[in-house]
Amino acid sequence: MEYEDFLALKRIIKGKIESLENELSTLGEVAIEAKQMVLANIHKVADIAKRYENGTIEEKRIIIGSMFPENLEFDGKLHRTSGLNSTVSLI
C-alpha cells in the first residue's frame, strides 16, 4: 500500500470513528432519559391502589382502561375481558 493511500484510508477511518463516538454519546443521553421515565412510571404504578381510591371517576376510568386495553364487559353480575395489559399481569 502506498503511503498516500494509507493516509487517505486513515482519514476515512478517523472520520467514521468520530461519527460513531458522537452516536455513542447520544445513546448515553437517551438511556438516562429512558431510565428517568421508567423510574417515574414505577412510582405511579406502585401507588396505583391509592391513586384509584382517591381518584376522580375519570382517573379511575383511565386506570381501568390502562389495565384492560380491550373492552371490559359487565353484564350486571360478572366482569369479562379478553385481554389484560402484559405489564399488569407481571404485577
Side-chain angles (χ1 to χ4, degrees):
M1 178 183 286
E2 296 292 323
Y3 183 71
E4 291 82 20
D5 294 335
F6 171 77
L7 290 178
L9 187 58
K10 184 177 176 181
R11 276 192 297 269
I12 292 170
I13 300 288
K14 186 176 180 182
K16 287 184 180 183
I17 289 172
E18 289 173 359
S19 173
L20 290 171
E21 285 175 344
N22 288 337
E23 285 183 41
L24 186 60
S25 66
T26 303
L27 289 176
E29 294 169 7
V30 170
I32 291 170
E33 291 175 18
K35 181 178 178 181
Q36 290 170 343
M37 288 174 51
V38 167
L39 291 175
N41 287 314
I42 285 174
H43 293 298
K44 288 180 183 178
V45 171
D47 294 333
I48 199 160
K50 189 187 306 180
R51 293 179 69 207
Y52 183 83
E53 187 176 315
N54 298 327
T56 65
I57 296 295
E58 185 60 30
E59 289 170 330
K60 290 178 181 182
R61 285 182 182 163
I62 290 169
I63 291 170
I64 295 295
S66 68
M67 293 171 70
F68 302 100
E70 299 176 24
N71 292 336
L72 179 66
E73 298 176 15
F74 180 65
D75 65 4
K77 294 182 182 181
L78 299 173
H79 295 84
R80 294 186 321 172
T81 184
S82 57
L84 179 65
N85 184 315
S86 59
T87 304
V88 173
S89 66
L90 293 173
I91 295 171

